[in-house]
Amino acid sequence: MEAMVDKNMSKKLQKSYFDVLGLCCSSEIQLIENIVKSFDGVKDFTVVVPTKTLIVVHDSLLVSQIQIVKALNRARLEANVRVSGETNHKHKWPSRYTIASGALLLLSFFKYFYSPLRWLAVGAIVVGIPQIMLKAFAAIRNLTFDINILVLITVAGSVALQDYWEAGTVVFLFTVSQWLESRASYKATAVMSSLVSMVPQRAILAETGQEVNADEVPLNTVLAVKAGETIPIDGVVVQGNSEVDEKTLTGESFPVSKQKDSPVWAGTININGYISVKTTAVAEDSVVARIAKIVEDAQIKKSKTQRFMDRCAKYYTPAIVVISASIAVVPLVFQLGNKKEWFHLALVVLVTACPCALLLSTPVAMFCALSKAATLGVLFKGAEHLETLAGIKTMAFDKTGTITRGEFLVVDFKSLHNDISFNTLLHWISSIECKSSHPMAAALVDFARARGIEAKPDMVEEFENFPGEGIYGKIKDNEIYIGNKKIVSRAGCNAVPTLEGYETDQGVSVGYVFLGSCPAGIFSLSDTCRTGAKEAIHELNSLGIKTVMLTGDSHGAAMRAQDQLGGGLQAIHSELLPEGKSRIIKELQAVGPTAMIGDGINDAPALATAEIGISMGVSGSALAMESGDVVLFSNDIRKIPKAYLIAKKVKRKIIENVVISMVTKVGVLGLAVAGHPLVWVAVLTDVGTCLLVIFNSMMLLKEEETPPVREKVRGGNNKDIVYNKPSTAVTSVPTNVEKKSCARKCCGAESKQKPEIEEPLLITCE
């Protein structure tokens, strides 16, 4: 009953996105919080400072989007509702008040030629100050203390000292800085914002040609996609040939050829040709929707450094304000001369109380790094994972589907049971394997189809998956086990079948079939390393990262992959169960921070155990994608060292930004203490520092990292490599999550020549 109530509640709630262009830094979050929380219908809200975005979950019956916008705009936050698929950015040019203020200030310079022109500086103040004043009053009304109040006090102080030109300069510099920061932030986060808004909204039904909302399209609907159009929902091509641009997902610049039965993804573009696509997911479960969700979550989650900066800012600003007030009071209490200089010094100190540059130093850099990684097809689920990746010392790789292609070929298959024909055995095996999504299962299904044997997964009963061992299914009371050596004990057999040519040390993966406890078949499969895997491993080694393989496959298959990698791996652990991989990760963590890269359900525990888990998103299992902290949306693991280099670079950028923010403030204060308390210089420095921090962070979007090359690569020779072959010679053939329907699209496969398949018999073994 509670679940029903929660479901009904979630249907009533609406998630709305607002562009808050008047948001400067995280110091203004308190103001927004006070406004949003004043509404009864608001369930939750999130403020994303770099993208100037407010996300509100609310009951649309109690509070509307317009009400929220009006409340925000009463605080002069320049808010508007974000239209789905669009990113608003109104400030292409400064406001007319800012331009007028600047023009009057410029004309006031001519006071040296005509004295009355000095009063134009007062006009510059009058024209520009309302924007600041309204925001300051709104902050006071909501019991918050922000930069607008600091600037208003500074301007009032300068006017009281009759320094009108300085006051006008402060007003103009501050208002123009707001515009410049808005423009710079918009460019810095444009890539990330486009990823969030790239979910297609409309789809065309192939049968009727009717255009409908993408979120209304049910499963197994055939859609029409013309040349130049975006594919709206994940699916498979059922008609036509084309080339598809998958750059938005994988980062690959070359189009991918698509024909019948080829998978296609929402958000990718059909370059040429007409194709009909049968949907394999609903819009909200498509890959691009999952990407948008990951990107949105990544924006919300703060890094440890950012959280630390926010905590410091809470104490920094009040402390500086108190110091400024104390400096202003000193000449009055002690009856000191030259009060004007003391007051100027107090105003300079007050301006340095603005923490904007310090608060922007981390989030903007993180967003630029996340954007850069996203263009490569690497999505981080949060900024904290970038920080973690930068400190990684060891990277552990799964073999099948990660280092290798995961596209197995059946090298040989032999029946060990005289009472059943080869074709019948293969028919049973392919029918059961159709319910598994592991690459080895696909190889066996394809092997059967190549021999004209049609799988019938509907006849399989009690299908069960045993991670790290194999699978089980019952066909007409025959209990069939398929897997590696670990499946032997589960089948109830006392000995592992041996056959000449099926030794695991020959570099092939060996599987076994049991009918009950009787050995019924044995087969061998081979796999090859992915293109670029060798380069990726050696590049990581050159960066000082220790590379390790963790696999459930046989020791021979692991060594074969090591040979293809040119001996790049520094340690190999084979024949592992999922819990064995987690155990090895914990051992590696004792030496240093460890990352795990995997794609299957067997990798999920290790991905969760490691400091950072990197999952193969498109090719990997859903559980691996959920368990990973980073999702690799292509099969090219050469992007892993690139992501590592981005993480290292953003760490340096944050340090640079913090140093810039602090040094400039100290410099201005030093100049003031030395007898030159220039308020306009303090404002200019504050504005310039904010822009410098943003532009320095934006360098991450443009720079290409070239990894250093060391002459001696760790693990490049066999002396440095550790091979772990357990004393119990067992091999693990991992399988994937149970699926209720055939995952191989083989259920309706036609065959020109159908071999005779015997009626299933009940087999017993004495």
Side-chain angles (χ1 to χ4, degrees):
M1 180 63 72
E2 291 181 3
M4 290 283 290
V5 172
D6 290 341
K7 190 173 182 181
N8 291 332
M9 281 292 294
S10 64
K11 286 183 178 179
K12 288 174 62 180
L13 295 177
Q14 176 183 352
K15 181 183 281 190
S16 299
Y17 295 79
F18 303 90
D19 289 302
V20 188
L21 304 181
L23 178 64
C24 175
C25 60
S26 58
S27 62
E28 293 175 320
I29 292 178
Q30 186 63 47
L31 171 61
I32 295 174
E33 181 179 353
N34 294 341
I35 294 170
V36 173
K37 282 188 174 180
S38 66
F39 294 104
D40 293 333
V42 173
K43 182 74 173 178
D44 192 18
F45 77 97
T46 304
V47 180
V48 185
V49 175
T51 55
K52 300 182 183 294
T53 302
L54 171 64
I55 305 169
V56 181
V57 179
H58 61 104
D59 188 336
S60 57
L61 298 177
L62 295 177
V63 56
S64 66
Q65 293 177 331
I66 300 301
Q67 287 176 290
I68 297 172
V69 167
K70 286 182 177 178
L72 292 169
N73 286 337
R74 278 196 294 270
R76 318 304 296 178
L77 288 170
E78 303 173 59
N80 54 74
V81 180
R82 178 178 296 175
V83 180
S84 180
E86 295 182 6
T87 302
N88 293 318
H89 185 72
K90 293 182 177 179
H91 297 327
K92 292 184 178 180
W93 298 100
S95 71
R96 59 180 180 271
Y97 302 106
T98 301
I99 294 173
S101 177
L104 290 171
L105 186 65
L106 181 63
L107 290 172
S108 71
F109 273 103
F110 292 96
K111 64 183 179 180
Y112 300 104
F113 301 99
Y114 184 60
S115 181
L117 289 177
R118 69 180 184 273
W119 297 107
L120 290 178
V122 177
I125 299 170
V126 173
V127 172
I129 200 67
Q131 303 174 75
I132 304 170
M133 192 178 295
L134 289 170
K135 290 183 180 180
F137 289 162
I140 294 169
R141 189 169 59 249
N142 288 278
L143 303 177
T144 58
F145 193 84
D146 67 1
I147 179 60
N148 295 285
I149 297 174
L150 293 177
V151 172
L152 189 61
I153 295 172
T154 304
V155 172
S158 296
V159 170
L161 295 172
Q162 297 183 356
D163 199 338
Y164 304 120
W165 182 85
E166 188 170 65
T169 303
V170 170
V171 169
F172 172 70
L173 288 175
F174 181 73
T175 53
V176 81
S177 73
Q178 299 291 295
W179 171 73
L180 287 171
E181 286 176 27
S182 177
R183 289 289 297 173
S185 297
Y186 170 73
K187 290 182 179 180
T189 58
V191 175
M192 193 64 78
S193 299
S194 65
L195 284 172
V196 175
S197 60
M198 73 179 183
V199 181
Q201 303 296 316
R202 308 287 289 176
I204 298 175
L205 303 178
E207 186 176 353
T208 62
Q210 181 185 0
E211 185 175 330
V212 297
N213 290 328
D215 55 8
E216 296 175 357
V217 177
L219 200 63
N220 297 322
T221 302
V222 179
L223 304 176
V225 185
K226 300 175 184 177
E229 292 183 349
T230 300
I231 296 169
I233 304 175
D234 294 354
V236 293
V237 178
V238 293
Q239 182 183 357
N241 298 290
S242 180
E243 288 185 324
V244 174
D245 182 358
E246 297 182 346
K247 183 166 49 188
T248 52
L249 288 185
T250 65
E252 298 293 342
S253 56
F254 295 103
V256 180
S257 178
K258 301 291 182 181
Q259 49 277 332
K260 188 176 180 181
D261 295 332
S262 295
V264 291
W265 316 103
T268 57
I269 300 172
N270 179 21
I271 298 177
N272 50 49
Y274 174 92
I275 55 175
S276 297
V277 176
K278 185 177 182 180
T279 61
T280 56
V282 293
E284 62 182 11
D285 294 331
S286 64
V287 169
V288 71
R290 297 206 304 270
I291 290 176
K293 182 67 169 64
I294 291 172
V295 170
E296 184 178 304
D297 290 344
Q299 295 179 46
I300 295 169
K301 294 176 182 176
K302 295 181 179 180
S303 66
K304 292 179 181 178
T305 304
Q306 186 177 348
R307 289 195 293 269
F308 175 75
M309 292 296 180
D310 289 346
R311 286 196 300 270
C312 289
K314 288 181 180 179
Y315 303 102
Y316 171 80
T317 301
I320 297 296
V321 170
V322 170
I323 293 171
S324 175
S326 301
I327 293 172
V329 171
V330 164
L332 299 177
V333 173
F334 296 98
Q335 297 296 317
L336 299 178
N338 204 355
K339 293 184 178 63
K340 190 172 183 179
E341 276 196 23
W342 281 95
F343 289 149
H344 269 106
L345 178 60
L347 292 176
V348 170
V349 172
L350 188 65
V351 171
T352 61
C354 174
C356 289
L358 196 62
L359 292 176
L360 290 173
S361 61
T362 301
V364 176
M366 284 294 184
F367 266 75
C368 289
L370 291 170
S371 299
K372 181 66 176 178
T375 60
L376 296 174
V378 182
L379 291 183
F380 288 81
K381 292 185 178 179
E384 69 270 22
H385 303 310
L386 267 169
E387 285 185 325
T388 305
L389 183 60
I392 289 298
K393 301 300 180 184
T394 304
M395 286 194 181
F397 290 82
D398 171 51
K399 183 181 78 71
T400 305
T402 303
I403 288 178
T404 64
R405 295 179 181 275
E407 299 171 358
F408 287 91
L409 293 175
V410 178
V411 178
D412 196 17
F413 189 106
K414 285 201 170 29
S415 175
L416 303 178
H417 209 296
N418 295 326
D419 296 335
I420 185 171
S421 71
F422 178 86
N423 287 339
T424 299
L425 180 63
L426 195 55
H427 170 64
W428 290 356
I429 293 170
S430 62
S431 297
I432 297 172
E433 292 286 5
C434 261
K435 289 182 172 287
S436 171
S437 60
H438 192 274
M440 289 186 177
L444 289 167
V445 172
D446 292 341
F447 182 74
R449 292 182 68 183
R451 282 151 185 76
I453 297 174
E454 182 179 342
K456 293 182 179 179
D458 293 339
M459 66 190 296
V460 179
E461 301 174 352
E462 301 179 16
F463 176 83
E464 194 170 354
N465 172 55
F466 305 111
E469 298 180 21
I471 56 176
Y472 163 83
K474 183 183 286 188
I475 298 180
K476 293 291 182 67
D477 294 329
N478 289 293
E479 296 183 343
I480 304 168
Y481 294 86
I482 309 166
N484 56 49
K485 290 182 179 180
K486 293 185 178 68
I487 204 73
V488 173
S489 59
R490 193 173 291 277
C493 187
N494 296 323
V496 178
T498 56
L499 201 65
E500 186 178 351
Y502 282 82
E503 293 81 9
T504 58
D505 58 2
Q506 293 184 349
V508 294
S509 301
V510 179
Y512 305 88
V513 182
F514 292 88
L515 294 180
S517 59
C518 298
I522 186 171
F523 56 90
S524 61
L525 307 100
S526 65
D527 193 10
T528 57
C529 287
R530 292 190 184 279
T531 302
K534 180 178 179 180
E535 291 85 344
I537 297 297
H538 282 284
E539 189 172 341
L540 288 170
N541 287 334
S542 71
L543 292 167
I545 302 295
K546 180 181 179 181
T547 53
V548 179
M549 179 193 290
L550 307 181
T551 179
D553 213 339
S554 67
H555 186 73
M559 291 305 301
R560 183 170 183 267
Q562 169 73 325
D563 290 340
Q564 292 179 13
L565 294 172
L569 294 165
Q570 296 163 44
I572 295 175
H573 301 268
S574 58
E575 305 177 9
L576 296 171
L577 288 171
E579 55 268 26
K581 292 183 179 181
S582 296
R583 176 179 54 80
I584 299 296
I585 290 291
K586 290 177 182 177
E587 292 175 2
L588 294 171
Q589 286 173 325
V591 179
T594 302
M596 174 68 192
I597 301 95
D599 75 312
I601 186 173
N602 294 316
D603 304 317
L607 288 168
T609 302
E611 273 85 0
I612 185 168
I614 303 175
S615 59
M616 311 284 280
V618 173
S619 63
S621 70
L623 182 58
M625 184 175 176
E626 291 299 320
S627 302
D629 303 307
V630 182
V631 180
L632 193 66
F633 273 91
S634 78
N635 296 326
D636 188 356
I637 64 173
R638 284 174 294 188
K639 292 177 180 178
I640 293 174
K642 290 181 180 179
Y644 174 77
L645 288 168
I646 291 173
K648 296 289 285 186
K649 188 64 182 288
V650 73
K651 186 177 180 180
R652 291 196 298 271
K653 286 293 181 186
I654 290 172
I655 294 172
E656 290 172 6
N657 289 342
V658 172
V659 170
I660 290 169
S661 302
M662 298 306 296
V663 167
T664 52
K665 289 186 182 295
V666 171
V668 169
L669 288 174
L671 186 66
V673 172
H676 303 283
L678 303 173
V679 178
W680 69 270
V681 171
V683 174
L684 182 62
T685 303
D686 187 71
V687 171
T689 303
C690 288
L691 295 176
L692 190 59
V693 163
I694 292 172
F695 290 132
N696 186 47
S697 300
M698 288 175 66
M699 294 299 291
L700 289 165
L701 297 172
K702 298 180 180 180
E703 292 182 6
E704 288 291 335
E705 286 281 5
T706 303
V709 178
R710 300 182 183 179
E711 293 183 4
K712 183 177 180 180
V713 179
R714 293 181 60 195
N717 54 73
N718 292 337
K719 292 181 181 179
D720 296 332
I721 301 174
V722 179
Y723 300 117
N724 178 18
K725 183 176 181 180
S727 57
T728 54
V730 292
T731 306
S732 167
V733 181
T735 56
N736 216 322
V737 183
E738 175 183 350
K739 295 192 175 182
K740 294 182 179 179
S741 60
C742 176
R744 297 292 145 223
K745 312 291 184 294
C746 55
C747 307
E750 296 183 358
S751 176
K752 295 181 180 179
Q753 181 181 359
K754 295 184 179 180
E756 182 179 347
I757 300 175
E758 300 174 1
E759 193 66 29
L761 303 173
L762 178 60
I763 306 296
T764 59
C765 184
E766 297 180 359

